[in-house]
């Protein structure tokens, strides 16, 4: 499923919530599956620049590129760090409901 | 404990108001992220993998019941109902929203707490022996010194932009429970000819390049403390490297300059500085001392009792001798079997606050081992304290044992992490869950860091575990024989690292190798390691043949 050239997406944190968000090409979303994929290094730089240009207005901070594989459900990270980010916090399910 | 003056309260209120303004300007767009980031860091606010994190200082690890209760309220109102106690006597809230942080800081200020200097290249929260003021064998309460340093270092304009962060720890006994040998400056109060002064150790540190601190003064008269600290910091401020952040800590300056030369520079600076900076005013000292006056200890005669088996094992591991024979310090483990080291829920915080109030002269401590301490408990109250702790899930009888693990947040929270550390701690704890078996294994300190920064103190674990990213896969390096006490030692690398699924079985093999090698049941893991060396442990880890090759 993974392509020869690692595809990339732009991820960030939301300014107020602090949680992980991904760039869709026009805005930001909380699911990586809707992220815009760049398939060449040049496209990735262009995508990052585009995301950065609108980051202030969109309240996106701490932007960077992350490698993904293309799956039937959409892009999914290849590196474990990004996989954990996508999966969300796991070690404390019992404490996780906001009371 | 130290009581805030009107000056302190005004200062905190002003800081909160200032940060509130900064957040508002960030939210309305008048501050950019690049402008705002250093401002939030100065107020202890980090951005992690899944959320912000607010790091709050617990100076020298001391908390009152009211402060603990405030932490509980804050965690429920603005976070997820729990807090995380760290190796630097801080508490971290892992889920705040940016817009709520000014309110959190205001609630903290109400009880004299803050997040100032918990981040950035400044003098950080000063830590101390967690049994300070309670332990037998102290020459003086080390918190008097820690508080003096706190007052001097807070907002000290000359040292706000050091080459790198700067950490100071203080102890006042021969046993080092404050890890002073691994701080930028470690201070030990000692007595000589009826006078109290300091041993001063500099250049210790963990992280990428660990060093054991070196003694720069075996004796410093008490009155010279601040002038001497200024001399060290001034020499470091000018000489510390700013070209490479990995070489910017004072440990590198000590290493590259050499202790003798650096000592001469410090002494020269001290000779001048001491003339300019007068002695600390006796009123300030007296004011501080008033804040740490011992409580009015109860004098009731101790009534003997006969504990049941579970209470018995709690008494075996969770007590520490008190300077008074009728009292004892109780360590409350934040490491339930399979739990996250250092995490305490709001409900548990309230139980601890209540116990402190009812039985503990309203005093609590946080240890660098991420546990909570009730420093002064009368023997007659132990049963009631134990019962209440047990009901709150806080009576795990594992202090100093295999499941009393230090673990940094790792990749479950931290943006710098290269691997997970909490799940490793949880699995080891679960594997050795049986308390009797743990008591049989005896004293054993396992310390886990999720990256080379070593926030989990892995270099000084009897078994140290360092999580790394090896070609896109989590990989764990093991070290053996580290020691953060007065017998300071850095752990020895065992050899190639282990994958995520292999590391817990590897730790299990190490422990079995120890059980096979120990001469008596009284010989601890560390003692056995020091006697037999790395070879049998390597054999257990890698097999006989690989061990010879490794
Ligand atoms: C956002 C989370 C954290 C970040 C960004 C962070 C960052 C760092 C960095 C960069 C270092 C290495 C500094 C150097 O050697 O120059 C370090 C060291 C250290 N940190 Fe953390 N850390 C975090 C969480 C923690 C936690 C949760 C603890 C306590 C459990 C902790 C305690 C320490 C200690 C004890 C050291 C090593 C001692 C030293 O050499 O200073 N940190 N940290
Ligand atoms: S050791 Fe690394 S992973 Fe762990 S808290 Fe420190 S910076 Fe984060």
């Amino acid at each position: 499923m993974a392509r020869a050239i690692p595809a990339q997406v732009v991820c960030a944190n939301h300014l107020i919530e602090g949680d992980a968000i991904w760039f869709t090409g026009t805005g930001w979303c909380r699911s990586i599956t809707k992220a815009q994929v760049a398939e060449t290094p040049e496209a990735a730089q262009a995508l990052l620049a585009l995301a950065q240009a609108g980051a202030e207005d969109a309240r996106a901070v701490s932007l960077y590129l992350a490698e993904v594989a293309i799956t039937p459900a959409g892009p999914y990270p290849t590196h474990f760090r990004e996989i954990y980010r996508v999966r969300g916090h796991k070690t404390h399910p019992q404490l996780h409901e906001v009371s | 404990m130290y009581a805030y003056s009107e000056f302190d309260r005004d200062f905190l209120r002003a800081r909160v108001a200032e940060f509130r303004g900064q957040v508002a300007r960030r939210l309305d767009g008048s501050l950019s992220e690049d402008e705002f980031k250093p401002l939030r860091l100065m107020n202890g606010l980090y951005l992690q993998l899944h959320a912000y994190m607010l790091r709050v200082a617990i100076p020298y690890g001391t908390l009152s019941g009211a402060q603990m209760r405030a932490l509980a309220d804050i965690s429920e109102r603005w976070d997820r109902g729990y807090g995380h106690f760290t190796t630097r006597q801080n508490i971290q809230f892992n889920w705040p929203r940016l817009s709520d942080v000014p309110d959190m800081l205001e609630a903290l200020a109400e009880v004299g707490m803050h997040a100032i200097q918990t981040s950035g290249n400044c003098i950080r929260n000063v830590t101390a022996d967690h049994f300070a003021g309670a332990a037998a064998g102290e020459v003086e309460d080390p918190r008097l010194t820690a508080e003096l340093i706190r007052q001097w270092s807070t907002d000290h304009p000359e040292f706000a932009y050091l080459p790198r962060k700067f950490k100071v720890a203080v102890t006042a006994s021969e046993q080092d429970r404050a890890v002073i040998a691994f701080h930028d400056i470690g201070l030990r109060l000692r007595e000589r000819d009826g006078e109290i002064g300091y041993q001063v150790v500099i250049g210790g540190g963990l992280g990428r390049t660990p060093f054991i601190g070196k003694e720069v003064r075996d004796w410093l008269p008490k009155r010279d403390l601040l002038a001497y600290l200024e001399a060290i910091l001034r020499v470091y401020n000018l000489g510390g490297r700013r070209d490479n952040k990995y070489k910017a800590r004072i440990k590198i300056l000590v290493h590259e300059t050499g202790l003798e030369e650096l000592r001469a520079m410090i002494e020269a600076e001290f000779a001048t500085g001491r003339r300019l900076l007068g002695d600390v005013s006796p009123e300030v000292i007296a004011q501080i001392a008033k804040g740490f006056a011992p409580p009015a200890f109860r004098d009731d005669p101790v009534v003997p009792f006969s504990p049941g088996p579970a209470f018995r094992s709690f008494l075996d591991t969770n007590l520490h001798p008190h300077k008074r024979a009728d009292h004892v310090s109780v360590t409350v483990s934040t490491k339930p079997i399979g739990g996250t080291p250092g995490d305490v829920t709001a409900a548990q915080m309230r139980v601890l606050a209540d116990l402190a109030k009812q039985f503990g002269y309203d005093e609590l401590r946080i240890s660098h081992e991420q546990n909570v301490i009730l420093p002064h408990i009368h023997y007659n109250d132990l049963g009631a304290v134990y019962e209440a702790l047990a009901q709150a899930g806080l009576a795990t009888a594992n202090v100093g044992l295999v499941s009393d693990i230090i673990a940094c947040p790792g990749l479950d929270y931290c943006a710098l992490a290269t691997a997970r550390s909490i799940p490793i701690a949880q699995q080891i704890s679960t594997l050795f869950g049986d308390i009797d078996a743990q008591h049989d294994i005896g004293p054993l300190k396992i310390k886990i860091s999720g990256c080379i920064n070593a926030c989990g103190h892995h270099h000084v674990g009897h078994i140290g575990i360092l999580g790394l990213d090896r070609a896109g896969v989590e990989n764990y390096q093991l070290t053996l024989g580290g020691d953060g006490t007065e017998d300071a030692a850095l752990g020895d690398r065992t050899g190639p690292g282990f994958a995520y699924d292999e590391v817990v079985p590897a730790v299990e093999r190490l422990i079995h190798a120890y059980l096979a090698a120990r001469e008596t049941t009284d010989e601890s893991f560390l003692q056995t390691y020091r006697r037999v060396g790395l070879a049998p442990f390597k054999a257990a880890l890698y097999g006989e043949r690989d061990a010879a090759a490794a």
Side-chain angles (χ1 to χ4, degrees), chain A residues 36-77:
Chain A
Q36 172 78 39
V37 178
E39 307 211 359
T40 65
E42 299 73 37
Q45 286 311 321
L47 188 66
L48 181 61
L50 181 64
Q52 254 152 0
E56 270 306 310
D57 286 342
R59 308 202 147 178
V61 296
S62 192
L63 282 63
Y64 63 92
L65 289 164
E67 289 183 5
V68 289
I70 311 300
T71 76
Y76 197 77

Side-chain angles (χ1 to χ4, degrees), chain B residues 241-249:
Chain B
R241 289 180 59 170
R242 289 173 190 264
D243 60 320
N244 178 344
K245 84 172 191 177
Y246 299 119
K247 299 198 168 167
R249 298 287 290 268

Side-chain angles (χ1 to χ4, degrees), chain B residues 36-47 115 117-120:
Chain B
F36 179 68
K37 187 175 168 185
L39 302 175
R40 72 162 157 75
L41 285 173
M42 278 181 207
N43 290 280
L45 189 63
Y46 287 76
L47 190 53
Q117 289 177 215
T118 59
S119 172

Side-chain angles (χ1 to χ4, degrees), chain B residues 127-138:
Chain B
T127 54
D129 184 339
H130 43 269
F131 295 125
E138 277 185 343

Side-chain angles (χ1 to χ4, degrees), chain B residues 80-123:
Chain B
R80 295 197 180 171
Y82 72 104
H84 177 77
F85 291 110
T86 80
T87 50
R88 294 219 72 260
Q89 298 181 319
N90 294 309
I91 184 168
Q92 298 188 167
F93 294 112
N94 283 307
W95 308 98
R97 304 170 80 226
L98 175 61
S99 44
D100 289 337
V101 173
D103 290 338
M104 296 171 82
L105 292 175
E106 195 166 308
L108 287 165
E110 294 285 318
V111 290
M113 296 183 76
H114 58 74
I116 299 166
Q117 289 177 215
T118 59
S119 172
N121 295 335
C122 55
I123 302 172

